[in-house]
C-alpha cells in the first residue's frame, strides 16, 4: 500500500496497526517538499521585506492565512479534499496549536525582516529568531499529535488553524499600526511587487501544507532538521546575492563552523530517521501506535 493509500485507509476507519508505516520514499519526498517550500518562501519574503522594504510582516502573514483558507475551502467545495465541518468540539481538539501556529508564523516573518545575511548583532532580530525556534519545535510536536485521520486530519488542522487565528492576528495588526503601514506602502501600484506578494501568500499555504505533510510522514524532529538545512542554504545564498552581507573574516569563519555543525547534525539525524527498521522494531512501533 502506498503512503497515500495508507492515509485513506486510516481515514476510512481502518485500524492504524493494520496499515504499514509510511514508505521510505514518502518520508523522503515529504521532507524534500517541505525543505523546498521553506527555502523558496524565505527568498520571496526576503525580497518583499528587505529589498522592497515592505514594513508589515504581520499583514503578510494575514495574506498567507487568507490564501490557505480560500484554497482549502474551495478544494473542499469541489470535493478535491475532505475535512470535517465545524462543530464546537473542534477548538478544544485543536488547542493550543493555533497559538503556536500564529506565533511561529509572525516570529519567522519578523526575524526575516530584522536580520541581515551576515547575522550582525540585532537584539530585536535575535529575540524573534529565538522565539521562532521555540514556536517551530512546539508547533511540530503538537501538529503530529493533532493529525489523527479519524478526527481533523491534515487538511482540517490546516484550515481551522488559519480560521481561528486570522481575526486575532488582524486585531494585532491594527493595534500595532502594522495594517496602517501596509495600506500606506508606496509600492501597491508596482505590478512586480504585487505578484511577489501574491506568490508569498501562495507559498505560505504550500509551506503550511508541506510542514504538516512532513510531520505526518516523519517526525517533528525531522521537520526541524530539514528546516536547519534550509537555513544553511539561505545563509550562503544571502552571502552571494543578498546584497546585505558585510564581510568580516571572524564573522565568516564563525558562520561556516556553525553551518558545518548544523549540516553534520542534520545528516546524522535524517539518516537515522530514514533508515529501514528491523521487523521486530517495526512491529513494536505499530503496537505503540495502536
Amino acid at each position: 500500500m502506498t503512503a497515500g493509500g495508507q492515509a485513506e485507509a486510516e481515514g476510512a476507519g481502518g485500524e492504524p496497526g493494520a496499515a504499514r508505516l509510511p514508505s521510505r520514499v514518502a518520508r523522503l519526498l515529504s521532507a524534500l517538499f517541505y525543505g523546498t517550500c521553506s527555502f523558496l518562501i524565505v527568498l520571496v519574503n526576503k525580497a518583499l521585506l528587505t529589498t522592497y522594504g515592505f514594513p508589515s510582516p504581520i499583514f503578510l502573514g494575514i495574506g498567507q492565512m487568507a490564501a490557505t483558507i480560500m484554497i482549502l475551502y474551495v478544494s473542499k467545495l469541489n470535493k478535491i479534499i475532505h475535512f470535517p465541518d465545524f462543530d464546537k468540539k473542534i477548538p478544544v481538539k485543536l488547542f493550543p496549536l493555533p497559538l503556536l501556529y500564529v506565533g511561529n508564523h509572525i516570529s519567522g516573518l519578523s526575524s526575516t525582516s530584522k536580520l541581515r545575511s551576515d547575522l550582525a548583532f540585532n537584539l530585536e532580530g535575535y529575540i524573534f529568531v529565538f522565539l521562532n525556534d521555540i514556536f517551530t519545535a512546539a508547533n511540530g510536536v503538537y501538529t503530529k499529535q493533532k493529525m489523527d485521520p479519524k478526527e481533523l486530519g491534515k487538511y482540517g488542522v490546516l484550515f481551522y488553524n488559519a480560521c481561528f487565528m486570522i481575526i486575532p492576528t488582524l486585531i494585532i495588526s491594527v493595534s500595532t499600526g502594522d495594517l496602517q503601514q501596509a495600506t500606506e506602502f508606496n509600492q501597491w501600484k508596482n505590478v512586480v511587487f504585487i505578484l511577489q506578494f501574491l506568490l508569498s501568500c501562495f507559498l505560505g499555504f504550500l509551506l503550511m501544507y508541506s510542514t504538516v505533510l512532513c510531520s505526518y510522514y516523519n517526525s517533528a524532529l525531522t521537520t526541524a532538521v530539514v528546516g536547519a538545512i534550509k537555513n544553511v542554504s539561505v545563509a550562503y545564498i544571502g552571502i552571494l546575492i543578498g546584497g546585505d552581507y558585510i564581510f568580516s573574516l571572524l564573522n565568516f569563519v564563525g558562520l561556516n563552523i556553525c553551518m558545518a555543525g548544523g549540516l553534520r547534525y542534520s545528516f546524522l539525524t535524517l539518516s537515522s530517521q530514514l533508515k529501514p527498521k528491523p521487523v521486530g522494531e517495526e512491529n513494536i512501533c505499530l503496537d505503540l501506535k495502536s
Side-chain angles (χ1 to χ4, degrees):
M1 181 184 292
T2 64
Q6 174 206 351
E8 291 175 3
E10 291 183 4
E15 289 296 326
R20 292 184 186 178
L21 290 173
S23 71
R24 185 174 181 179
V25 174
R27 286 182 285 165
L28 180 60
L29 289 179
S30 64
L32 288 175
F33 181 43
Y34 165 66
T36 301
C37 292
S38 184
F39 173 76
L40 291 176
I41 196 171
V42 168
L43 294 184
V44 175
N45 287 344
K46 186 72 173 173
L48 288 172
L49 298 171
T50 60
T51 304
Y52 284 100
F54 186 65
S56 308
I58 299 177
F59 182 80
L60 180 59
I62 292 171
Q64 295 173 354
M65 293 179 203
T68 300
I69 293 170
M70 288 188 292
I71 291 171
L72 291 176
Y73 186 69
V74 170
S75 298
K76 182 182 180 180
L77 287 179
N78 288 279
K79 299 183 179 180
I80 299 172
I81 61 173
H82 171 75
F83 53 85
D85 295 328
F86 179 79
D87 65 63
K88 61 184 179 180
K89 295 181 180 179
I90 286 181
V92 177
K93 293 177 182 178
L94 207 56
F95 187 83
L97 195 55
L99 299 178
L100 300 173
Y101 158 77
V102 75
N104 182 42
H105 214 64
I106 294 177
S107 61
L109 288 169
S110 298
S111 63
T112 300
S113 67
K114 296 294 181 182
L115 289 181
R116 297 200 315 246
S117 295
D118 59 1
L119 302 183
F121 183 76
N122 179 316
L123 179 60
E124 190 177 0
Y126 277 107
I127 289 173
F128 279 123
V129 170
F130 178 67
L131 290 174
N132 185 244
D133 289 340
I134 294 174
F135 282 124
T136 299
N139 186 66
V141 171
Y142 277 98
T143 297
K144 185 75 173 178
Q145 293 178 0
K146 303 294 183 179
M147 286 189 297
D148 185 350
K150 296 179 182 178
E151 298 287 343
L152 296 177
K154 300 188 293 292
Y155 302 112
V157 167
L158 277 174
F159 182 78
Y160 289 113
N161 253 343
C163 284
F164 290 151
M165 292 314 300
I166 191 169
I167 299 300
T169 307
L170 182 59
I171 294 173
I172 294 173
S173 180
V174 172
S175 62
T176 59
D178 180 88
L179 181 62
Q180 182 178 353
Q181 289 180 314
T183 56
E184 294 175 352
F185 188 58
N186 60 7
Q187 293 290 328
W188 286 114
K189 294 182 180 179
N190 185 332
V191 176
V192 177
F193 170 79
I194 293 174
L195 289 175
Q196 289 195 35
F197 185 89
L198 294 176
L199 177 61
S200 176
C201 292
F202 178 68
L203 286 174
F205 159 71
L206 286 184
L207 176 61
M208 287 181 259
Y209 176 65
S210 64
T211 302
V212 168
L213 203 65
C214 186
S215 298
Y216 180 80
Y217 286 122
N218 297 282
S219 67
L221 178 60
T222 301
T223 305
V225 168
V226 174
I229 297 175
K230 174 266 301 181
N231 290 337
V232 171
S233 304
V234 170
Y236 275 116
I237 286 181
I239 289 174
L240 296 175
I241 63 175
D244 59 356
Y245 180 75
I246 302 175
F247 179 80
S248 162
L249 182 60
L250 183 62
N251 177 277
F252 184 74
V253 171
L255 281 176
N256 280 276
I257 292 173
C258 177
M259 292 174 185
L263 278 176
R264 177 63 178 167
Y265 172 77
S266 301
F267 175 77
L268 292 175
T269 305
L270 275 178
S271 297
S272 64
Q273 288 284 332
L274 296 176
K275 187 181 297 182
K277 295 180 180 179
V279 174
E281 185 177 349
E282 186 169 309
N283 290 335
I284 292 175
C285 291
L286 287 173
D287 291 338
L288 289 174
K289 189 176 179 183
S290 301

